[in-house]
Each structure stands twice: as structure tokens, then as C-alpha cells.
Amino acid sequence: MVEDATAEFARTLAAEIEEARDDPAVGLPSTEALFTRTIIDELEEIGHFEAAFDLAQEGRVGRLPFRISGYAIDEEAGQLTLFATNYSGDVPPRRLPAAELLKTAERAGTYVAACIGGLADRIEPSNTEAGDLARNVAALGERIDHFRIVVLTDSIASGALPPTIDSHGKAVELQLYDIVRLHRVLGENQTRADIDVDLVALAGRRIACLPVASGAGHYEAYLAAFPGEALSRIYDRYGTHLLELNVRAFLGLSGRKSVNAELRRTLVDRPEMFLAYNNGVVATADEVRLESDNGGIFLTGLRGLQIVNGGQTVASLHRARRKEGVGLDLVEVPVKIIHVTEGDLEGIVSSISRAANRQNTVQQADFSANDPFHREIETLANNAWLESGRGRWFYERARGSWLAAEHKASYRSTEQRAFREQTPKSRRLSKLDLARYLSAWDGHPWRVALGGQKNFQAFMQRRKDETAPAPDAAWFRRLVALTIVYRTTERLTRAMKFPAYGANITAYLVAALGERTGGRIDFDLIWRRQSLSPELEALIENWAPQIDEALRGLVGARNPTEWFKKEDCWNAVRHRLPMLTDPLPGELANAADPARGAGAHKPRAELNVADYERIEECMRVPSAIWVSTAELGQRSGILHFKLAGICMTLANYAAGDWSRRPSIKQAKHGLESIAKVRAAGLFDEAQR
């Protein structure tokens, strides 16, 4: 019989899938596709996968059937991951024989074999995402040396899958996420208290340790050398839940000079020296289980384990073993475990983390859900009621917090009904959503194409580099408005049934709208309506095929999926954007100056296409030209000092890559100033 907690998790997940299926804003073709997208997104959010995308594709190669539901390609690591879904929708979940799940994996294996066996053209025409994926895998050829198939199912596996299968001469690793494992890794109520590590089971033995008592008596400490394999398995099981009290996220292995790249080199070239070369791990635990034997002290288990320093080390071990097949048999890692016996655990952990990380500065982009930025947005969401006063948006700072809040409200039926009416799932907003929507609008659609986690890290780094101000109520209303813009664009794009790259079309279309309008849109109007006008929806529907054509027309001989992830792609698309036409939708005709905030007074006269074209022309002028215009114009007396000041302001905007957009008046006066200086021949004189 299924455990009550797992059965409840399955019921909640099934209800979420059914609700999403009925939501016209989602627009996916089947409950299985919704299940796949939901699970892939949530597994990526907790760090189990990177840049993973759902993609349903099935057919035959000869007499053999193939079927996949998603993919992830890591060219740097030489790894291809395919997802294969077995979905029933049964509640309570049924038990499924391992043999049936193995067949699901083997159908995905046929896809791998066809791609690398020269049969990619038989899979799908080249103008589809599935066809492009097949040809990309074929082109990478020998550069991919690690194949992995991940089976996703809402059933209970009645047996284990083999660790690998042979697919037409290629060894393919298998992983299984059945409903029991999904509940374990995605369980909404999991806290550090639920992390209970059986070291004997994971390491195969007890781990010798040296107890060190603190003189003040506030904590106990234990020094040990953990097998690298055991640490990797602990991370595999609990993921980023191990880092709840830490400020760091895994930074990746790119870059020859990165700390993680050096870790990988040691793991591959000198695994026996890892203990000597590595600073090790500092962890805390709510409970430390020990055994004594012949005068020695051994660790057998840890409850409430949290890694407060060395998360990079553990994540690198996990990545090397799971993604790159690096053996960890010879790897030993120094570990210091702190058991706080009295006092404020989180305060002590914060002090440990600050002290331990002085050797390697913590960047804003490394912060987790505990970052003040995300806490402030959560507070704003809780206090930002809609115009009707009967609803609000829910910011899911920590994954699963919406479900936890709903569960808390369920103790009283009236509270549960009120919670669902006030904060339905359609108004749930995650950290990855926030980064996706703002990145696209601000002109970084290629970052969005990299996937949720990578885009999120880049977004947080940009906030640090640009020293962005703390969010306020107007900022939050703007965020919600952009969320509505993005999700509406996503819904309309899906309804148009493009053969491929719908997600990329959406991101680039939102970026195009931000580019053409100079970042102007009536955020307050969208906030009040909680929807877009029919006129703006019509504009989006008109632009979508043009964005699709621009993306495809610029691909050339490149792989489309990889090309869309390049800044060069956006720079090329920017020269082929659709044009605005009069009359403008109300959201654009009545847009306020974004520099004055979302609550600024609207201009008296409605804006038109000419206004937006002047802003766009202004933003094409380099910073050096604005500086020269100001200096030459004021020195010659052609420009009033106020006009010269506007040119210098625009120079600063240009130097900041137009993170601040010019106003209508700034663009008008700036362009007129350039024309005056040019007409006087001062640019020519300066060049001579």
C-alpha cells in the first residue's frame, strides 16, 4: 500500500496537471506533456538537471518504435540526456513492472541509436525542433561520449532498472524518477529536519571521526574524511536542500580558471590527492549518530545535515560522477561537522559561512531563496492586493511554498477556499519565472534560451553589476504586468502551433516588444486589468510569425538551438524586428516614462509610432557621439547648456547599455542636437 504522504503528493500533482490542462493560458496538448514539463522544470530548479527542455516526439526507425519527451545537451561535458515519460494519471498511483519502464527507456534508446547511426533524417523533417535535435546529436557525434535516459513516471516502480542498457553498441545510463522518488526530492514540506543520512548505507561502512569538544560548550565538532562517492550520493538524494542555510549555488564548471574546473582536473587526473588539495566541507547537523568500537569513534548517521561551506566541492563531485562518469573510488574529502548544542543555529551558520567564504567572495548571483531580494519580493506579493481587493499574486520564493501555504489553509475549509480564490495557481510566480520575464523584456532573450537555472544566475549577477535598487510596490506591479505580457505571448504563440522553437519565439518576441517601445508600456493599466487588450494581443499575433521568420532566416548552417543561446543571435534579430503601426494599442499609446516609475503621471498626448521610432533611433547612437555633440555644441554656442546636459545624460545611458531608456523629450531634443551640430559641420572639423 502506498504511504499516505506519497499518495497525497500524487493526488496534489494530478490535480495540478488537470487544472493546468483546463487553463487556456497553458495550451499544452496533453496531460502527459504537462506532467513532463512540470517535473523537468521542478527538477531543474532544485539542481538535478541543467538546461532541460520538454519535447514530445515519437515515430519509427524501420520497424523499431522510438519515443522521447524531453532532452538536455551539455556539449562541454559531452553528455546527452533524453527524458522518457510513462504517464497514467491514475490516483492513487498504480504499481508498474520494471519491465514496462525498461521498454519506455528502450524506445528512447532507439532515438539515440538512430541519431548516431546516420538515420537522423528518418526521424523528423529538419524544420522541426525534434528534427533539429536529431541532426544536432548526429553532428556532435563522437563529442558525446555519455548518454543518459531519464524515465519519468507518475506510477510506483515495482522494481529497479538496470544501471545501463546497450543501445545498438552504445552504453546508455538509466535513471528513474517514479512517484516515490519524485515525492522524496520534490516533497513540498521537506525541511532540513527531513534530511536523515544513513552513512552506513551510503558509504558502505561507518566513517571514523575525531570528536573535538568546544571549550565554551556551545557546540560539538567532528573531523572526518568522507568517501567522495558517499558525498556524491548524499547530494544526489537531497540536492540543494542540503544548502538551505548556505548562500551559495553551484556555479558550474566553465572557465579554465574557475575553482570548479580545478576541482574537476584533480578528480580526473589526481583523485588520490583530492584530500591534500581540497579545503574540504564544513557542515552542521541537528543530530549526530555515533558508535564506539575498540577505542575508536565512528559516524553512522546525520539528521538535519546542512553544508555551510564546500557546497561547490560536493556539487562538483556529484556532477563529475553523474554527468561525466568520473570514478570517485580514490577520492576522500575532509569534512568538519558542527553540532550546535545551544544558541541560534542560523546565526552561527551565517558567521561560519562568512568566515569560511572570505577566501572566495560570495557574489550576488550565488544567493539562494534566502537572499534579501527574494524575501522582499515575497513581502511585496503578500501585501499587493488587486484593484478588486479580492486577490493577489503569490511569489514562490522557495519551491513548494505555494503548496505548503495551501496545506496550511486546508485545516479549515473556509480558509482553503479563500486561499484558492485569492491566490490561484495561475497567479503563482517563481524565482525562475521572474528571471525569465525580466531578462526577455530587458533585451536578453538569448539568456532565456539557456534554460532556467543559467538564466537565473545571469540575472542575479546583472543585478549585482548594475547595483539595482531594492524592489518596491511599483516595481512589483511592473513585474506582474510583465508576467502577464510574457504568459499571454506564450499562450498566443502556442495556439499558433509553430512547428518548433515556440519558447524561443516567445522570449525573442517579448524582447522585441521591449526594444521597439524603449521599455515603455502602461504597466499600471495591465495591473488594473490583469490582462492585455485585444489590440495588444493582435499585435503579438501579428509579430510572432515575423519573429519566427527572423530567427530561422538568420540560422544559416548553425544549429538553431545553440544559435538562439548566443548574444550575436539577438544582435542580428534586432535589425529585423517587426514595425509598430498606428493606431497603437492603449498599453503603448498611454505608456509613462519608465524612468519615472510605474506610478508616474501619464503624458497629456497619446504616443504614436513616430515617438517610439525616435527613441529607437536615439538608442542606436553610441555614447561617444553624444559626448562629442555636447562638447562641440556647447563650445561653439550652438547648443544651450540644457540641451548639452541632455546629450551627456544620453551618453551615460548609452554607456550603461541603455539599462535606463530615454524619454520622448530626451530623444527628440537629443536627435535635434545631433542634427544641429552635424549641420554646422562641427563633426567634420573635429575629425580634421
Side-chain angles (χ1 to χ4, degrees), residues 58-79:
E58 62 181 311
R60 287 184 173 272
V61 178
R63 292 181 297 176
L64 296 176
F66 70 84
R67 193 169 190 267
I68 64 170
S69 56
Y71 70 95
I73 296 180
D74 188 337
E75 293 190 27
E76 180 187 342
Q79 174 170 287

Side-chain angles (χ1 to χ4, degrees), residues 70-381:
Y71 70 95
I73 296 180
D74 188 337
E75 293 190 27
E76 180 187 342
Q79 174 170 287
L80 169 68
T81 298
L82 293 178
F83 295 93
T85 300
N86 189 308
Y87 181 78
S88 68
D90 292 342
V91 178
R94 61 173 177 163
R95 291 191 176 275
L96 205 60
E100 187 170 339
L101 294 171
L102 183 59
K103 288 181 180 178
T104 300
E106 288 172 341
R107 292 190 186 101
T110 299
Y111 183 93
V112 173
C115 292
I116 63 179
L119 302 177
D121 290 332
R122 298 189 185 182
I123 290 179
E124 187 74 10
S126 59
N127 64 339
T128 67
E129 191 168 356
D132 287 336
L133 171 63
R135 269 157 284 283
N136 188 23
V137 174
L140 291 171
E142 295 302 319
R143 291 173 58 190
I144 296 181
D145 53 18
H146 187 194
F147 295 91
R148 175 174 59 175
I149 293 173
V150 178
V151 178
L152 307 175
T153 181
D154 64 336
S155 302
I156 303 168
S158 59
L161 294 180
T164 61
I165 60 172
D166 181 84
S167 181
H168 303 270
K170 286 286 184 180
V172 180
E173 178 188 348
L174 297 187
Q175 286 188 33
L176 172 64
Y177 284 83
D178 70 345
I179 196 68
V180 176
R181 187 181 183 190
L182 289 173
H183 175 234
R184 189 173 71 236
V185 300
L186 299 177
E188 65 273 11
N189 296 318
Q190 188 178 63
T191 66
R192 72 170 187 270
D194 299 311
I195 299 176
D196 198 331
V197 179
D198 185 339
L199 292 173
V200 176
L202 289 172
R205 58 180 172 82
R206 302 174 301 179
I207 298 176
C209 69
L210 175 65
V212 182
S214 70
H218 299 313
Y219 67 89
E220 299 167 345
Y222 303 88
L223 306 179
F226 273 52
E229 182 79 12
L231 279 176
S232 173
R233 291 184 183 280
I234 292 171
Y235 190 85
D236 186 45
R237 177 160 186 170
Y238 296 107
T240 53
H241 289 298
L242 293 167
L243 309 175
E244 286 178 1
L245 296 181
N246 196 355
V247 295
R248 284 184 175 269
F250 183 51
L251 299 178
L253 292 168
S254 60
R256 293 180 58 189
K257 295 182 180 179
S258 75
V259 174
N260 296 320
E262 187 62 39
L263 286 175
R264 182 186 179 280
R265 276 194 290 273
T266 302
L267 291 172
V268 173
D269 300 334
R270 303 289 301 278
E272 73 284 356
M273 297 301 294
F274 196 87
L275 182 70
Y277 292 168
N278 189 261
N279 290 333
V281 172
V282 179
T284 63
D286 296 337
E287 177 189 333
V288 177
R289 295 193 291 273
L290 302 166
E291 286 183 0
S292 299
D293 191 3
N294 294 326
I297 304 296
F298 298 87
L299 292 167
T300 62
L302 299 164
R303 184 180 62 80
L305 178 66
Q306 287 285 286
I307 297 171
V308 297
N309 182 251
Q312 303 294 304
T313 297
V314 178
S316 294
L317 290 169
H318 176 261
R319 177 173 181 140
R321 181 176 73 89
R322 298 296 283 175
K323 290 192 172 186
E324 303 177 61
V326 176
L328 303 179
D329 295 342
L330 300 178
V331 175
E332 297 282 339
V333 183
V335 176
K336 177 170 65 177
I337 299 168
I338 307 295
H339 176 215
V340 178
T341 55
E342 63 178 82
D344 176 20
L345 175 62
E346 294 198 16
I348 293 173
V349 167
S350 178
S351 298
I352 294 171
S353 185
R354 280 197 302 270
N357 281 302
R358 281 177 186 148
Q359 59 188 314
N360 196 6
T361 305
V362 179
Q363 301 295 331
Q364 181 78 19
D366 306 336
F367 285 178
S368 68
N370 290 322
D371 177 68
F373 171 68
H374 298 291
R375 288 186 178 276
E376 182 61 31
I377 298 173
E378 183 180 51
T379 300
L380 290 168

